[in-house]
Short mmCIF file of all heavy atoms in Angstrom, two decimals:
data_model
loop_
_atom_site.label_atom_id
_atom_site.label_comp_id
_atom_site.label_asym_id
_atom_site.label_seq_id
_atom_site.Cartn_x
_atom_site.Cartn_y
_atom_site.Cartn_z
N TRP A 48 -9.33 -7.52 -12.64
CA TRP A 48 -8.49 -6.33 -12.62
C TRP A 48 -9.28 -5.08 -12.26
O TRP A 48 -8.74 -4.17 -11.66
CB TRP A 48 -7.77 -6.15 -13.95
CG TRP A 48 -8.69 -5.91 -15.12
CD1 TRP A 48 -9.26 -6.86 -15.91
CD2 TRP A 48 -9.16 -4.66 -15.58
NE1 TRP A 48 -10.06 -6.28 -16.85
CE2 TRP A 48 -10.01 -4.92 -16.68
CE3 TRP A 48 -8.97 -3.35 -15.20
CZ2 TRP A 48 -10.65 -3.90 -17.37
CZ3 TRP A 48 -9.60 -2.34 -15.89
CH2 TRP A 48 -10.43 -2.62 -16.98
N TYR A 53 -6.10 0.09 -6.56
CA TYR A 53 -5.16 0.99 -7.20
C TYR A 53 -5.41 1.10 -8.70
O TYR A 53 -5.16 2.15 -9.30
CB TYR A 53 -3.70 0.63 -6.88
CG TYR A 53 -3.18 -0.63 -7.53
CD1 TYR A 53 -2.60 -0.58 -8.78
CD2 TYR A 53 -3.24 -1.85 -6.87
CE1 TYR A 53 -2.09 -1.73 -9.37
CE2 TYR A 53 -2.75 -2.99 -7.44
CZ TYR A 53 -2.18 -2.93 -8.70
OH TYR A 53 -1.69 -4.06 -9.27
N ILE A 54 -5.97 0.06 -9.31
CA ILE A 54 -6.36 0.15 -10.72
C ILE A 54 -7.52 1.12 -10.88
O ILE A 54 -7.54 1.94 -11.80
CB ILE A 54 -6.73 -1.25 -11.27
CG1 ILE A 54 -5.53 -2.20 -11.19
CG2 ILE A 54 -7.27 -1.15 -12.68
CD1 ILE A 54 -4.40 -1.85 -12.11
N GLN A 55 -8.48 1.08 -9.97
CA GLN A 55 -9.60 2.01 -10.01
C GLN A 55 -9.14 3.45 -9.84
O GLN A 55 -9.62 4.36 -10.53
CB GLN A 55 -10.62 1.67 -8.93
CG GLN A 55 -11.32 0.34 -9.14
CD GLN A 55 -12.21 -0.04 -7.97
OE1 GLN A 55 -12.23 0.62 -6.94
NE2 GLN A 55 -12.96 -1.11 -8.14
N VAL A 56 -8.17 3.67 -8.94
CA VAL A 56 -7.64 5.02 -8.73
C VAL A 56 -6.91 5.50 -9.98
O VAL A 56 -7.08 6.65 -10.41
CB VAL A 56 -6.71 5.05 -7.49
CG1 VAL A 56 -5.96 6.36 -7.39
CG2 VAL A 56 -7.52 4.80 -6.23
N LEU A 57 -6.10 4.64 -10.60
CA LEU A 57 -5.40 5.03 -11.82
C LEU A 57 -6.37 5.35 -12.95
O LEU A 57 -6.16 6.31 -13.70
CB LEU A 57 -4.42 3.92 -12.23
CG LEU A 57 -3.21 3.73 -11.33
CD1 LEU A 57 -2.39 2.53 -11.79
CD2 LEU A 57 -2.36 4.98 -11.32
N ILE A 58 -7.43 4.57 -13.08
CA ILE A 58 -8.44 4.83 -14.11
C ILE A 58 -9.13 6.17 -13.84
O ILE A 58 -9.35 6.96 -14.77
CB ILE A 58 -9.46 3.67 -14.18
CG1 ILE A 58 -8.80 2.42 -14.75
CG2 ILE A 58 -10.68 4.06 -15.01
CD1 ILE A 58 -9.65 1.18 -14.67
N ALA A 59 -9.44 6.47 -12.59
CA ALA A 59 -10.08 7.73 -12.25
C ALA A 59 -9.16 8.91 -12.55
O ALA A 59 -9.62 9.95 -13.05
CB ALA A 59 -10.49 7.74 -10.77
N ILE A 60 -7.86 8.77 -12.28
CA ILE A 60 -6.91 9.84 -12.59
C ILE A 60 -6.84 10.08 -14.08
O ILE A 60 -6.89 11.23 -14.56
CB ILE A 60 -5.52 9.51 -12.00
CG1 ILE A 60 -5.56 9.59 -10.48
CG2 ILE A 60 -4.46 10.44 -12.56
CD1 ILE A 60 -4.30 9.09 -9.81
N VAL A 61 -6.75 9.01 -14.85
CA VAL A 61 -6.68 9.14 -16.32
C VAL A 61 -7.95 9.77 -16.86
O VAL A 61 -7.90 10.68 -17.70
CB VAL A 61 -6.40 7.76 -16.96
CG1 VAL A 61 -6.59 7.81 -18.47
CG2 VAL A 61 -5.00 7.29 -16.62
N LEU A 62 -9.11 9.34 -16.37
CA LEU A 62 -10.38 9.93 -16.82
C LEU A 62 -10.46 11.41 -16.43
O LEU A 62 -10.96 12.24 -17.22
CB LEU A 62 -11.56 9.16 -16.24
CG LEU A 62 -11.82 7.78 -16.84
CD1 LEU A 62 -12.96 7.09 -16.11
CD2 LEU A 62 -12.12 7.88 -18.32
N GLY A 63 -9.99 11.77 -15.24
CA GLY A 63 -9.99 13.17 -14.83
C GLY A 63 -9.10 14.03 -15.70
O GLY A 63 -9.47 15.15 -16.07
N VAL A 64 -7.94 13.51 -16.08
CA VAL A 64 -7.04 14.25 -16.96
C VAL A 64 -7.67 14.42 -18.34
O VAL A 64 -7.62 15.51 -18.93
CB VAL A 64 -5.67 13.54 -17.06
CG1 VAL A 64 -4.82 14.10 -18.19
CG2 VAL A 64 -4.93 13.64 -15.73
N ILE A 65 -8.29 13.38 -18.86
CA ILE A 65 -8.92 13.45 -20.18
C ILE A 65 -10.06 14.45 -20.18
O ILE A 65 -10.18 15.29 -21.09
CB ILE A 65 -9.38 12.05 -20.63
CG1 ILE A 65 -8.17 11.17 -20.94
CG2 ILE A 65 -10.28 12.15 -21.85
CD1 ILE A 65 -8.51 9.72 -21.18
N VAL A 66 -10.93 14.41 -19.17
CA VAL A 66 -12.06 15.35 -19.09
C VAL A 66 -11.55 16.77 -18.93
O VAL A 66 -12.07 17.71 -19.56
CB VAL A 66 -13.02 14.94 -17.94
CG1 VAL A 66 -14.01 16.04 -17.66
CG2 VAL A 66 -13.74 13.66 -18.29
N GLY A 67 -10.51 16.98 -18.10
CA GLY A 67 -9.95 18.32 -17.93
C GLY A 67 -9.29 18.85 -19.18
O GLY A 67 -9.28 20.05 -19.44
N TRP A 68 -8.73 17.97 -19.97
CA TRP A 68 -8.07 18.39 -21.22
C TRP A 68 -9.09 18.69 -22.30
O TRP A 68 -8.96 19.66 -23.04
CB TRP A 68 -7.11 17.28 -21.66
CG TRP A 68 -6.32 17.61 -22.88
CD1 TRP A 68 -5.46 18.66 -23.05
CD2 TRP A 68 -6.30 16.88 -24.09
NE1 TRP A 68 -4.92 18.62 -24.29
CE2 TRP A 68 -5.41 17.53 -24.97
CE3 TRP A 68 -6.94 15.73 -24.53
CZ2 TRP A 68 -5.15 17.09 -26.24
CZ3 TRP A 68 -6.68 15.28 -25.80
CH2 TRP A 68 -5.80 15.94 -26.65
N LEU A 69 -10.14 17.88 -22.40
CA LEU A 69 -11.15 18.07 -23.45
C LEU A 69 -12.12 19.20 -23.14
O LEU A 69 -12.54 19.94 -24.03
CB LEU A 69 -11.92 16.77 -23.68
CG LEU A 69 -11.13 15.62 -24.29
CD1 LEU A 69 -11.99 14.37 -24.38
CD2 LEU A 69 -10.59 16.00 -25.66
N TRP A 70 -12.52 19.32 -21.87
CA TRP A 70 -13.51 20.33 -21.47
C TRP A 70 -12.98 21.14 -20.28
O TRP A 70 -13.45 20.99 -19.15
CB TRP A 70 -14.82 19.66 -21.09
CG TRP A 70 -15.43 18.89 -22.21
CD1 TRP A 70 -16.03 19.39 -23.32
CD2 TRP A 70 -15.50 17.48 -22.33
NE1 TRP A 70 -16.46 18.37 -24.13
CE2 TRP A 70 -16.15 17.18 -23.54
CE3 TRP A 70 -15.06 16.42 -21.54
CZ2 TRP A 70 -16.38 15.88 -23.98
CZ3 TRP A 70 -15.29 15.13 -21.96
CH2 TRP A 70 -15.94 14.88 -23.17
N PRO A 71 -12.02 22.03 -20.50
CA PRO A 71 -11.45 22.79 -19.36
C PRO A 71 -12.45 23.75 -18.72
O PRO A 71 -12.32 24.08 -17.54
CB PRO A 71 -10.27 23.54 -19.98
CG PRO A 71 -10.54 23.58 -21.43
CD PRO A 71 -11.37 22.37 -21.75
N LEU A 73 -15.39 23.14 -17.94
CA LEU A 73 -16.26 22.39 -17.03
C LEU A 73 -15.88 22.64 -15.57
O LEU A 73 -16.73 22.64 -14.69
CB LEU A 73 -16.19 20.89 -17.34
CG LEU A 73 -17.11 19.96 -16.59
CD1 LEU A 73 -18.56 20.24 -17.00
CD2 LEU A 73 -16.76 18.51 -16.87
#
Side-chain angles (χ1 to χ4, degrees):
W48 64 271
Y53 71 89
I54 298 292
Q55 293 174 353
V56 170
L57 290 175
I58 290 172
I60 290 172
V61 169
L62 288 176
V64 168
I65 290 171
V66 168
W68 183 59
L69 292 177
W70 300 288
L73 186 67

